[in-house]
Amino acid sequence: MPKPPRFAETLLRRVVSPEDGEALAGDLEEMMRDARHPRRWYLQQVLSILAARTRQGLRAHLSTDPRRLTMAFRQDLAYALRALLKEPLFAATSIVMLALGIGANVAMFALLNAVLLKPLPFADPDRLMLVQLLAPDREEPGVLHPMIWSYPKYGALRDGQRVFESTAVFGAGNWNLTGTSLPDRIGGEYVESSYFGVLGVTPLIGRTFSADETRAPGSAPLVILGHTFWRQRFAGDASIIGRTIGLNGTPHTVVGILPRGFRGLTGQADVWVPITTLNADDLGNPFDHSYDVVARLRTGVSAGQADSAVGIIGAEIDARFRGPGGVPQQPNARQGSWSATAVPLDGQRVAPIVRRSILLMLGAVGSVLLIVCINLANLMLFRTLSRQREVAIRLALGASRLRIVRQLMTESCLLAVFGAAAGVGIAYLAIHVGAALMPPDIRLVLSPSAPVTGAQTVGLMRVGFGLVGLDISTLVFTVVIAVGASMVFGLGPAWSGSRRDLSVAIKARSAASSQGTRRFALRNLLVVAEIALALVLLTAGGLMVKSVARLQSTPLGFRSDALLTFRVPLAAPRYNSRTATDLLQRLMMALAERPDVEAIAFGSCAPISGGCNRTLMTFPDRPTPARGAENRVEVLWASPEYFETLGIRLVRGRGISDRDRAGQPKVVVINETAARTYWGAEDPIGTRIAVGQGGFGDGAEVVGIVQDVKYGSVDLAVLPGVYLPQLQSVRSGGLIFVRSRTHPSTLVTAVRAELGVLDPDLPLVNIMMMDERFGEATWRTRVSAWLLGGFAVLALALAALGLYGVISQGVEQRRREIGVRMAVGADRAHILRLVIGRVFVIALSGIALGLVCAVPAMRILRALLYQVRPTDPLVFSGLALLLLAVALLAGYIPARRATRVDPLTTLRAE
Amino acid sequence: MSTHTIGDFEQLILFALVRLGADAYGVSIRGDIEKRTGRTVSAGALYTALDRMEQRGLVASRLGDPTPQRGGKRKRLYTLQPAGERALARAYESLRLMANGVAARLRAVKE
């Protein structure tokens, strides 16, 4: 005989009375024997009883007629509206506060939703994988870093894999749109034909590339246009298909238009070009790691299986492409084997640090909303206090307590609805202003950067800011927090306001002051809590702002103002390294003659751009260092004018001169860190070193030491660096730096013009003010600081408002008492002390509580801070004092009002 | 809601009470209705209806003796009250009067 489930039995006992329960349980036990799934049936029956009872109970409570119910609701609504209209100031303040709180939350949620929650905007996004090479760390054996692919290595993956439906290689590119009246620089992607199929994108008009069109290097120049680009540049003219547009001077035939909103995995593509149009030498170089690989899982293959399969191919690739790895002269340069891995694309959409910042911001705006709710709860409490007579009379006339609570809650909900509506408006504005303020190609999304080889950071995944917006889930979130907020600020006051203290309330107004004290204690506690929250937010904001200040004042080692940088890609076959260097020389000479150009130079690597080439350095006169203890250096190529143009100070010896050319004795200049690290007390000048790149493996003389420059990122330590004269070690891949006498942006046209004279088809790329580069390198910290700082100021203002409200209402309630005190001889100073003393107690308690909470809370911030400890005493004490000052100010205004109470008027009014 | 009218489901229960006489309790009432009408009766609906009718004085209940086949638990036995009998008779009469002469057509439609 089946036994009824224990849980259901307990539930039944809870729902019905013991005597009913016995018979009921007996009946159910008897009946369950006939059921097909007795235990399930039993539970279902118990639940049906529970549901029926609930329905019954509700119906009995709310009267059975649904018409009466809607009427009551309409009555409540009308009454609530009238009550709010009667106090427009209260209503407006509440709605504005709620709108700010809810709006900030909605905007943050929209961001979170876009970068973390929303499925990627591709077909079946959970089947998409990002395939990465894994390169051994140069310092630590056994450690592997994700890495992008070279084209030959990708070929091995494509041909060797069996776990993916298809794979696609792609890379970001920039082109000069030529042959139009309005030349423009546009972003796009080099792709394999399978790219669109893998992502599930079908063209709006025309077609995508065929497999043949991206099979082998040297394929025909074709192009697919993005929707926005097509609309803006070609007015949405469909006849563009089959015509050509000029990219970098080469006519490309347009074959298709992609649907609206698709910007590629780089998130900023306007055009797509076959990857096989790239230079055959670059594509054929197995160590030119420049491309990402995305793949779609074959049905029935799990992500884990794909990963292990890719790992095996990784080992094959390692065996097949054993090569220079950047340090051809060093036999022991290889620290370990390469491998490969496949990871879900969805997990790669955001860097951990960005994820952390966003969650932190969400926490901050959540706290702001909580403060708003506390303020509103306080206001509501005060309102119920002043409406006590009304409530008491309604209770006396037979209204149930639930009826009163429902009435008061209707008011709260109404406020929350208005607040949420305005909040959505604020969020909408915030998102659009935010989108406009964001630098266009912010990398919200990237893989962990690991400059293992010469290649730059790994991964290009970005989410365009366009993905951030108000969608259904954001609106659902809004409704949830609005309802939650109205519960938080409405339920407590409604409950306590509907207490049946009839006699006290109806009897006399005078009772209110004593009756209110208990509620005042609660209200004081609420204010203490919001001051504490405000202090936590203030310290978070303060620490971030201090980090930004530290970042801004970090010596970069060069002058970033009025400095323009750009790159001229001089690609084969048109240019070899000799002709390329020659063209750069002529361009620089032409520009140097301009009056607005102060200095001009060539360098292989831009400061604060993620790092430069790295190699090993050896001393011919020292013993060969043990494996793992080699001397590692950053290596740069510089023209003679480089140090002067960038404002890099020469510490000792001489810089690079124009006599340091091919055929002359090889020389190098080192930075201070290199001198300190590898020479110590010794004088480097005059000593000889060998450098693993640029043909300097046979040795060169150190002739000078220059100031340290941050080439990596602002918050990273400077690495030992070696500068090679560009004229002794030919290298054309690099940037031109122009120090301008005017605003450097005015030079851009001049540069274009001069370049046009030398070769009209050459594009300029990476044109950027050095200031912009710095801004880009520090944007994340700055945005975090602005936002957190903003929220903290908002919290401070709200807390001050809350304190002000409680104190001034307290003064209002005690007007009579104060009048009496003054009548019996208390002077103004005494009254002021009385009120301010209370402010002081509240503020100090709040600050103490805030400090206790902030110290552990700030640990979350650690990863986002720069050269600031999470417990920075200056920030903590400064902000605590600031908060105290604001609190005292907020309390002083009502205190002053208290001293103006006229004892006669008050007494007469009795 | 008036005390004079009873719902369709309540009528079924009252008919079952008439038929079952002294042995009317949850299990037998449900069994009778399910057997004759083919309707599935949930415990929630059955006991709510019985409770409601008891409150309206249509039926009365008392606890019976415990029987071993139901885990030694007592039965709640229901009996039809005069008010319930009247209500059922009225309901059946109305139905009969309304059905007079048209029931055959209804069957024709059904078939």
Side-chain angles (χ1 to χ4, degrees):
Chain A
M1 190 164 121
K3 295 272 287 176
R6 281 275 283 284
F7 162 72
E9 257 187 322
T10 323
L11 194 64
L12 184 67
R13 238 177 284 137
R14 287 280 158 83
V15 182
V16 295
S17 66
E19 48 173 324
D20 278 356
E22 185 187 333
L24 241 172
D27 283 4
L28 289 180
E29 253 173 79
E30 228 181 292
M31 291 187 280
M32 75 188 278
R33 267 176 282 156
D34 302 333
R36 195 176 304 157
H37 305 284
R39 290 165 67 83
R40 194 195 300 169
W41 180 87
Y42 191 97
L43 181 63
Q44 274 169 0
Q45 298 309 308
V46 171
L47 288 178
S48 83
I49 293 170
L50 179 66
R53 297 265 160 154
T54 320
R55 255 197 319 269
Q56 217 176 7
L58 269 180
R59 216 174 287 156
H61 215 106
L62 300 172
S63 91
T64 38
D65 190 352
R67 272 221 312 269
R68 233 158 73 195
L69 193 67
T70 38
M71 215 160 73
F73 175 69
R74 244 190 259 158
Q75 228 174 34
D76 277 353
L77 208 60
Y79 189 87
L81 256 177
R82 266 204 309 279
L84 291 181
L85 282 176
K86 240 192 293 182
E87 290 172 88
L89 190 66
F90 163 78
T93 320
S94 311
I95 290 171
V96 167
M97 284 201 291
L98 274 171
L100 286 174
I102 292 178
N105 274 278
V106 170
M108 270 301 146
F109 179 81
L111 184 62
L112 179 87
N113 189 28
V115 298
L116 295 180
L117 305 178
K118 220 186 256 186
L120 290 168
F122 309 118
D124 277 338
D126 49 337
R127 310 287 300 162
L128 291 177
M129 307 281 282
L130 189 70
V131 191
Q132 296 170 320
L133 276 179
L134 289 173
D137 191 284
R138 295 193 153 208
E139 323 273 323
E140 281 178 68
V143 175
L144 294 170
H145 294 291
M147 179 75 191
I148 47 183
W149 294 79
S150 67
Y151 195 68
K153 286 181 180 177
Y154 165 67
L157 169 77
R158 178 184 52 202
D159 301 339
Q161 68 84 15
R162 294 285 172 274
V163 288
F164 301 114
E165 239 168 71
S166 57
T167 60
V169 64
F170 68 98
N174 282 292
W175 287 268
N176 258 25
L177 182 63
T178 50
T180 74
S181 53
L182 241 165
D184 197 1
R185 205 158 67 91
I186 53 177
E189 290 173 347
Y190 290 105
V191 297
E192 193 181 6
S193 62
S194 54
Y195 181 74
F196 305 100
V198 167
L199 296 180
V201 176
T202 44
L204 185 72
I205 305 173
R207 58 177 183 91
T208 56
F209 306 130
S210 72
D212 283 338
E213 284 163 348
T214 66
R215 196 178 303 284
S219 65
L222 305 175
V223 63
I224 296 172
L225 308 183
H227 191 266
T228 312
F229 178 70
W230 172 59
R231 292 296 291 270
Q232 283 174 356
R233 293 306 304 246
F234 303 104
D237 177 9
S239 71
I240 188 81
I241 305 280
R243 301 219 304 265
T244 63
I245 65 169
L247 297 177
N248 290 353
T250 313
H252 286 61
T253 309
V254 179
V255 300
I257 314 287
L258 291 185
R260 186 193 176 93
F262 182 75
R263 304 288 307 267
L265 284 177
T266 57
Q268 52 172 7
D270 282 324
V271 295
W272 288 264
V273 169
I275 193 163
T276 39
T277 56
L278 282 171
N279 181 310
D281 291 346
D282 291 346
L283 279 181
N285 179 355
F287 300 98
D288 179 7
H289 296 106
S290 311
Y291 316 106
D292 281 284
V293 171
V294 65
R296 180 172 287 278
L297 281 176
R298 200 179 276 279
T299 328
V301 176
S302 75
Q305 289 167 336
D307 186 34
S308 12
V310 165
I312 294 168
I313 297 173
E316 288 164 10
I317 289 172
D318 181 68
R320 192 162 137 201
F321 300 99
R322 291 184 170 266
V327 191
Q329 285 89 345
Q330 297 296 324
N332 58 352
R334 289 171 52 86
Q335 295 287 315
S337 331
W338 290 61
S339 183
T341 184
V343 291
L345 184 64
D346 193 62
Q348 295 296 304
R349 57 206 290 185
V350 108
I353 193 131
V354 175
R355 177 190 305 248
R356 179 174 272 223
S357 312
I358 291 174
L359 288 176
L360 189 80
M361 293 304 154
L362 205 62
V365 291
S367 308
V368 169
L369 185 60
L370 197 57
I371 294 180
V372 167
C373 287
I374 293 176
N375 269 353
L376 285 182
N378 259 336
L379 284 177
M380 291 299 232
L381 267 176
F382 183 72
R383 262 165 61 83
T384 57
L385 211 62
S386 62
R387 288 164 70 181
Q388 213 156 35
R389 272 174 68 86
E390 170 205 329
V391 167
I393 291 169
R394 292 184 62 187
L395 284 170
L397 289 177
S400 72
R401 184 171 189 182
L402 198 79
R403 185 74 188 70
I404 302 284
V405 169
R406 210 172 82 203
Q407 169 66 56
L408 294 174
M409 280 305 291
T410 310
E411 280 178 38
S412 310
C413 286
L414 200 61
L415 282 178
V417 165
F418 285 133
V424 168
I426 287 181
Y428 181 82
L429 276 180
I431 289 168
H432 282 79
V433 170
L437 289 181
M438 282 279 170
D441 55 349
I442 280 306
R443 295 186 177 192
L444 273 179
V445 177
L446 35 73
S447 314
S449 63
V452 197
T453 59
Q456 294 288 317
T457 48
V458 176
L460 290 158
M461 307 301 125
R462 301 161 208 217
V463 167
F465 213 78
L467 240 139
V468 184
L470 301 175
D471 60 358
I472 291 295
S473 50
T474 313
L475 293 179
V476 168
F477 173 81
T478 312
V479 170
V480 168
I481 62 167
V483 168
S486 70
M487 290 290 158
V488 168
F489 72 76
L491 206 51
W495 191 248
S496 83
S498 61
R499 208 169 278 150
R500 264 177 212 276
D501 290 340
L502 302 183
S503 52
V504 192
I506 298 186
K507 238 187 302 171
R509 275 188 163 286
S510 61
S513 61
S514 61
Q515 208 271 330
T517 42
R518 190 187 44 201
R519 251 171 258 173
F520 256 114
L522 174 66
R523 302 182 57 194
N524 289 344
L525 272 182
L526 289 179
V527 175
V528 166
E530 70 182 344
I531 289 178
L533 263 178
L535 184 62
V536 174
L537 283 185
L538 273 177
T539 43
L543 291 172
M544 285 309 296
V545 169
K546 188 164 178 180
S547 291
V548 170
R550 280 281 160 87
L551 268 182
Q552 306 278 21
S553 63
T554 299
L556 301 174
F558 71 100
R559 275 176 52 211
S560 66
D561 59 296
L563 195 59
L564 181 76
T565 68
F566 60 88
R567 192 182 283 273
V568 185
L570 300 162
R574 188 165 183 142
Y575 290 97
N576 61 37
S577 57
R578 180 60 54 199
T579 51
T581 314
D582 185 52
L583 180 124
L584 289 180
Q585 287 295 329
R586 284 196 290 155
L587 175 65
M588 280 160 54
M589 257 148 64
L591 284 170
E593 278 166 21
R594 292 179 57 90
D596 48 357
V597 170
E598 192 180 314
I600 187 162
F602 169 90
S604 64
C605 177
I608 34 180
S609 60
C612 312
N613 281 16
R614 296 189 199 176
T615 185
L616 298 183
M617 177 179 89
T618 52
F619 296 90
D621 53 348
R622 293 191 202 174
T624 313
R627 194 172 162 161
E630 297 96 341
N631 307 319
R632 294 166 193 285
V633 289
E634 239 174 359
V635 58
L636 299 99
W637 285 255
S639 73
E641 310 82 8
Y642 184 76
F643 300 121
E644 184 208 329
T645 307
L646 272 80
I648 300 169
R649 190 169 45 86
L650 187 66
V651 179
R652 277 168 46 71
R654 67 172 178 89
I656 294 168
S657 84
D658 49 10
R659 288 184 307 280
D660 298 324
R661 5 183 108 244
Q664 298 297 311
K666 286 180 175 167
V667 298
V668 295
V669 171
I670 60 172
N671 71 1
E672 286 175 285
T673 301
R676 203 172 47 244
T677 315
Y678 297 133
W679 278 269
E682 237 180 280
D683 184 1
I685 296 196
T687 59
R688 290 189 67 79
I689 57 169
V691 183
Q693 283 188 24
F696 275 50
D698 49 354
E701 186 188 341
V702 177
V703 294
I705 305 172
V706 292
Q707 186 184 2
D708 284 342
V709 176
K710 298 241 180 192
Y711 285 100
S713 73
V714 186
D715 52 350
L716 284 182
V718 174
L719 298 171
V722 175
Y723 294 88
L724 312 181
Q726 181 211 8
L727 302 176
Q728 274 182 342
S729 166
V730 172
R731 179 176 167 107
S732 57
L735 298 102
I736 306 260
F737 296 80
V738 188
R739 166 117 12 232
S740 165
R741 287 186 213 275
T742 60
H743 193 273
S745 62
T746 56
L747 274 176
V748 175
T749 11
V751 174
R752 279 194 203 285
E754 294 293 353
L755 190 62
V757 172
L758 296 171
D759 181 344
D761 276 342
L762 271 182
L764 281 181
V765 295
N766 291 8
I767 309 171
M768 213 185 256
M769 313 308 142
M770 214 53 226
D771 288 338
E772 286 175 3
R773 232 178 244 283
F774 179 68
E776 200 172 78
T778 58
W779 75 274
R780 201 192 58 237
T781 316
R782 272 180 299 127
V783 168
S784 303
W786 285 339
L787 285 176
L788 264 183
F791 298 145
V793 169
L794 194 61
L796 178 67
L798 287 169
L801 199 67
L803 183 66
Y804 168 83
V806 164
I807 297 297
S808 62
Q809 287 160 3
V811 165
E812 209 55 40
Q813 298 251 310
R814 294 169 72 191
R815 180 170 281 272
R816 185 171 152 276
E817 175 204 331
I818 292 168
V820 172
R821 278 174 190 261
M822 290 178 86
V824 297
D827 59 359
R828 273 154 200 258
H830 177 80
I831 301 294
L832 199 64
R833 269 205 304 279
L834 194 75
V835 180
I836 288 287
R838 182 179 202 165
V839 175
F840 214 75
V841 170
I842 293 177
L844 280 185
S845 319
I847 287 168
L849 183 63
L851 287 177
V852 170
C853 300
V855 170
M858 291 311 120
R859 281 200 212 121
I860 310 167
L861 274 180
R862 180 163 293 160
L864 303 177
L865 296 179
Y866 171 66
Q867 287 189 359
V868 178
R869 276 186 307 147
T871 52
D872 188 290
L874 206 68
V875 169
F876 270 72
S877 54
L879 290 170
L881 281 179
L882 171 73
L883 186 56
L884 184 63
V886 171
L888 286 178
L889 185 70
Y892 178 74
I893 301 165
R896 269 288 295 276
R897 207 180 307 139
T899 63
R900 301 223 187 84
V901 168
D902 180 6
L904 278 181
T905 331
T906 355
L907 290 180
R908 220 178 281 136
E910 278 300 300
Chain B
M1 195 178 283
S2 153
T3 46
H4 301 297
T5 58
I6 46 174
D8 160 50
F9 185 51
E10 287 168 322
Q11 290 171 27
L12 297 184
I13 293 174
L14 292 180
F15 275 125
L17 287 184
V18 175
R19 185 188 321 279
L20 293 165
D23 192 33
Y25 72 112
V27 178
S28 59
I29 299 171
R30 173 175 171 270
D32 195 40
I33 298 177
E34 290 200 339
K35 193 173 71 207
R36 292 182 175 278
T37 64
R39 264 167 88 148
T40 319
V41 178
S42 84
L46 179 64
Y47 293 105
T48 317
L50 282 169
D51 273 1
R52 199 163 48 221
M53 289 195 289
E54 191 169 7
Q55 273 168 29
R56 288 166 57 186
L58 303 181
V59 302
S61 77
R62 62 183 176 86
L63 285 177
D65 298 323
T67 53
Q69 73 210 32
R70 34 193 283 128
K73 296 191 175 77
R74 286 178 296 176
K75 291 176 183 170
R76 181 170 289 277
L77 295 164
Y78 292 88
T79 44
L80 194 60
Q81 292 299 100
E85 223 173 311
R86 275 198 303 276
L88 183 60
R90 235 191 333 268
Y92 184 59
E93 181 64 10
S94 327
L95 198 64
R96 199 185 58 78
L97 287 173
M98 287 306 289
N100 216 352
V102 293
R105 249 190 281 166
L106 203 61
R107 204 167 294 127
V109 171
K110 203 179 150 196
E111 283 156 10

